[in-house]
Protein backbone atom coordinates (compact mmCIF):
# COMPACT_ATOMS: atom_id res chain seq x y z
CA UNK A 1 0.00 0.00 0.00
CA UNK A 2 1.30 3.44 -0.93
CA UNK A 3 1.22 6.22 1.63
CA UNK A 4 2.46 9.81 1.86
CA UNK A 5 5.94 10.53 3.26
CA UNK A 6 6.85 13.43 5.55
CA UNK A 7 9.90 14.25 7.66
CA UNK A 8 9.03 14.25 11.35
CA UNK A 9 7.40 17.62 12.01
CA UNK A 10 7.38 18.63 8.32
CA UNK A 11 5.07 18.69 5.31
CA UNK A 12 4.36 15.77 2.99
CA UNK A 13 7.11 15.43 0.36
CA UNK A 14 6.04 12.40 -1.68
CA UNK A 15 4.77 8.83 -1.62
CA UNK A 16 6.35 5.49 -0.71
CA UNK A 17 5.32 1.87 -0.40
CA UNK A 18 7.60 0.85 2.50
CA UNK A 19 9.65 2.18 5.41
CA UNK A 20 12.87 1.86 3.43
CA UNK A 21 11.37 3.67 0.42
CA UNK A 22 10.22 6.50 2.70
CA UNK A 23 13.71 6.78 4.20
CA UNK A 24 15.34 6.83 0.74
CA UNK A 25 12.92 9.49 -0.50
CA UNK A 26 13.94 11.80 2.35
CA UNK A 27 17.61 11.11 1.63
CA UNK A 28 17.07 11.71 -2.09
CA UNK A 29 15.50 15.10 -1.33
CA UNK A 30 18.40 16.23 0.88
CA UNK A 31 16.60 16.07 4.25
CA UNK A 32 19.37 13.90 5.81
CA UNK A 33 17.36 11.19 7.59
CA UNK A 34 18.85 9.62 10.66
CA UNK A 35 20.40 6.20 10.00
CA UNK A 36 17.87 3.46 9.43
CA UNK A 37 19.37 0.92 11.85
CA UNK A 38 16.03 -0.65 12.63
CA UNK A 39 12.58 -0.47 11.11
CA UNK A 40 11.21 1.47 14.09
CA UNK A 41 12.99 4.66 12.98
CA UNK A 42 10.30 5.22 10.33
CA UNK A 43 6.70 4.97 11.49
CA UNK A 44 3.32 4.86 9.78
CA UNK A 45 1.03 7.36 11.49
CA UNK A 46 -2.48 8.67 10.96
CA UNK A 47 -2.60 12.10 9.35
CA UNK A 48 -5.08 14.84 10.20
CA UNK A 49 -7.19 14.06 7.14
CA UNK A 50 -7.57 10.37 8.06
CA UNK A 51 -4.91 8.98 5.69
CA UNK A 52 -1.66 7.28 6.67
CA UNK A 53 1.76 8.99 6.49
CA UNK A 54 5.26 7.54 6.78
CA UNK A 55 7.12 9.84 9.19
CA UNK A 56 10.89 9.86 8.96
CA UNK A 57 13.13 11.42 11.62
CA UNK A 58 15.42 13.78 9.68
CA UNK A 59 17.94 16.50 10.39
CA UNK A 60 15.84 18.97 8.35
CA UNK A 61 12.06 19.31 8.16
CA UNK A 62 12.12 21.67 5.17
CA UNK A 63 14.16 21.33 2.00
CA UNK A 64 17.70 22.66 2.49
CA UNK A 65 19.21 24.20 -0.62
CA UNK A 66 20.98 21.37 -2.31
CA UNK A 67 21.14 21.48 -6.12
CA UNK A 68 21.00 17.69 -6.55
CA UNK A 69 18.06 17.36 -4.15
CA UNK A 70 16.27 20.22 -5.95
CA UNK A 71 16.77 18.46 -9.31
CA UNK A 72 15.47 15.18 -7.86
CA UNK A 73 12.29 16.85 -6.58
CA UNK A 74 11.71 18.56 -9.93
CA UNK A 75 12.33 15.39 -11.93
CA UNK A 76 10.20 13.23 -9.64
CA UNK A 77 7.24 15.50 -10.34
CA UNK A 78 7.32 14.97 -14.11
CA UNK A 79 5.54 11.62 -14.29
CA UNK A 80 4.07 8.96 -12.04
CA UNK A 81 3.20 5.31 -12.25
CA UNK A 82 -0.44 4.30 -11.88
CA UNK A 83 0.35 3.56 -8.23
CA UNK A 84 1.27 7.23 -7.64
CA UNK A 85 5.02 6.71 -7.22
CA UNK A 86 7.38 8.91 -9.28
CA UNK A 87 8.68 7.37 -12.51
CA UNK A 88 12.06 9.14 -12.77
CA UNK A 89 13.91 7.10 -10.09
CA UNK A 90 12.97 3.90 -11.97
CA UNK A 91 14.19 5.40 -15.25
CA UNK A 92 17.43 6.39 -13.54
CA UNK A 93 17.90 2.84 -12.23
CA UNK A 94 17.27 1.50 -15.74
CA UNK A 95 20.05 3.69 -17.16
CA UNK A 96 17.76 6.00 -19.12
CA UNK A 97 19.15 9.52 -19.52
CA UNK A 98 17.00 12.35 -18.21
CA UNK A 99 16.76 14.03 -21.63
CA UNK A 100 15.54 10.75 -23.15
CA UNK A 101 13.01 10.33 -20.35
CA UNK A 102 11.72 13.88 -20.77
CA UNK A 103 11.48 13.62 -24.56
CA UNK A 104 9.48 10.40 -24.22
CA UNK A 105 7.03 12.17 -21.92
CA UNK A 106 6.73 15.08 -24.38
CA UNK A 107 5.88 12.56 -27.11
CA UNK A 108 2.95 11.37 -25.00
CA UNK A 109 4.45 8.21 -23.50
CA UNK A 110 3.10 7.11 -20.13
CA UNK A 111 5.41 7.50 -17.13
CA UNK A 112 5.72 3.73 -16.82
CA UNK A 113 6.64 3.19 -20.46
CA UNK A 114 9.11 6.12 -20.47
CA UNK A 115 10.85 4.75 -17.36
CA UNK A 116 10.98 1.07 -18.23
CA UNK A 117 11.36 0.70 -22.00
CA UNK A 118 15.00 0.28 -22.94
CA UNK A 119 16.93 2.49 -25.29
CA UNK A 120 17.56 1.47 -28.88
CA UNK A 121 20.97 0.16 -29.79
CA UNK A 122 22.22 0.93 -33.26
CA UNK A 123 23.59 -2.15 -34.96
CA UNK A 124 27.14 -1.96 -36.25
CA UNK A 125 27.63 -2.54 -39.98
CA UNK A 126 30.85 -4.60 -40.32
CA UNK A 127 30.89 -3.99 -44.10
CA UNK A 128 31.36 -0.23 -43.70
CA UNK A 129 35.14 0.21 -43.53
CA UNK A 130 34.96 3.78 -42.14
CA UNK A 131 32.55 2.70 -39.42
CA UNK A 132 35.02 0.00 -38.39
CA UNK A 133 37.79 2.62 -38.24
CA UNK A 134 35.54 4.93 -36.20
CA UNK A 135 34.94 2.12 -33.67
CA UNK A 136 38.69 1.46 -33.48
CA UNK A 137 39.19 5.16 -32.71
CA UNK A 138 36.74 4.96 -29.80
CA UNK A 139 33.83 6.64 -31.58
CA UNK A 140 30.35 5.17 -31.19
CA UNK A 141 28.29 4.06 -34.19
CA UNK A 142 25.68 6.69 -33.34
CA UNK A 143 28.28 9.50 -33.22
CA UNK A 144 29.89 8.43 -36.48
CA UNK A 145 26.57 8.20 -38.32
CA UNK A 146 25.35 11.56 -36.99
CA UNK A 147 28.58 13.20 -38.23
CA UNK A 148 28.12 11.72 -41.68
CA UNK A 149 24.46 12.74 -41.73
CA UNK A 150 25.50 16.30 -40.80
CA UNK A 151 27.62 16.44 -43.95
CA UNK A 152 31.05 15.47 -42.69
CA UNK A 153 33.04 13.29 -45.13
CA UNK A 154 33.37 9.70 -43.92
CA UNK A 155 37.20 9.67 -43.52
CA UNK A 156 37.08 12.82 -41.39
CA UNK A 157 34.04 11.66 -39.38
CA UNK A 158 35.82 8.40 -38.52
CA UNK A 159 39.21 9.90 -37.58
CA UNK A 160 38.65 13.38 -36.14
CA UNK A 161 38.21 13.96 -32.44
CA UNK A 162 35.90 16.54 -30.90
CA UNK A 163 36.93 19.26 -33.36
CA UNK A 164 35.33 17.50 -36.32
CA UNK A 165 33.03 20.46 -37.04
CA UNK A 166 36.04 22.61 -37.94
CA UNK A 167 37.12 20.42 -40.85
Amino acid sequence: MINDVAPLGGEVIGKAASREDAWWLCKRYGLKPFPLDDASAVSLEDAENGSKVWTVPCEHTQFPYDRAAFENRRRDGLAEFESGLPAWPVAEENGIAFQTFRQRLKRGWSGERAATEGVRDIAHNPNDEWEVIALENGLSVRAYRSRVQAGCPEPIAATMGLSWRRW
Side-chain angles (χ1 to χ4, degrees), residues 3-7 10-16 20-33 56 58-80 84-90 92:
N3 296 302
D4 291 332
V5 177
E11 299 292 320
V12 172
I13 61 169
K15 296 177 183 277
E20 291 78 17
D21 290 346
W23 186 87
W24 279 108
L25 183 68
C26 287
K27 181 172 174 116
R28 181 175 170 77
Y29 288 1
L31 298 174
K32 297 185 181 175
V56 183
C58 297
E59 184 177 325
H60 306 286
T61 57
Q62 299 296 322
F63 298 125
Y65 184 74
D66 175 359
R67 181 70 180 172
F70 173 76
E71 288 296 325
N72 285 334
R73 288 192 302 276
R74 186 177 65 81
R75 292 174 179 184
D76 285 355
L78 287 177
E80 295 179 344
L85 293 175
W88 167 244
V90 175
E92 196 173 29

Side-chain angles (χ1 to χ4, degrees), residues 80-104:
E80 295 179 344
F81 289 122
E82 289 180 11
S83 63
L85 293 175
W88 167 244
V90 175
E92 196 173 29
E93 289 174 7
N94 289 333
I96 297 171
F98 176 68
Q99 293 298 333
T100 303
F101 178 71
R102 193 171 70 183
Q103 286 300 322
R104 289 175 173 185

Side-chain angles (χ1 to χ4, degrees), residues 45-60:
E45 299 177 3
D46 292 323
E48 295 171 1
N49 60 4
S51 64
K52 298 274 190 182
V53 177
W54 293 108
T55 56
V56 183
C58 297
E59 184 177 325
H60 306 286

Side-chain angles (χ1 to χ4, degrees), residues 86-160:
W88 167 244
V90 175
E92 196 173 29
E93 289 174 7
N94 289 333
I96 297 171
F98 176 68
Q99 293 298 333
T100 303
F101 178 71
R102 193 171 70 183
Q103 286 300 322
R104 289 175 173 185
L105 293 174
K106 283 184 178 181
R107 287 188 201 120
W109 289 28
S110 69
E112 187 164 352
R113 181 179 175 207
T116 57
E117 193 169 302
V119 292
R120 278 188 318 211
D121 286 330
I122 296 178
H124 164 58
N125 180 5
N127 297 330
D128 185 350
E129 65 179 288
W130 288 110
E131 192 171 293
V132 171
I133 292 171
L135 289 171
E136 290 172 359
N137 289 332
L139 200 62
S140 70
V141 173
R142 184 183 301 268
Y144 167 74
R145 289 188 185 168
S146 68
R147 288 178 179 189
V148 171
Q149 189 176 13
C152 185
E154 291 176 342
I156 294 173
T159 56
M160 288 287 289

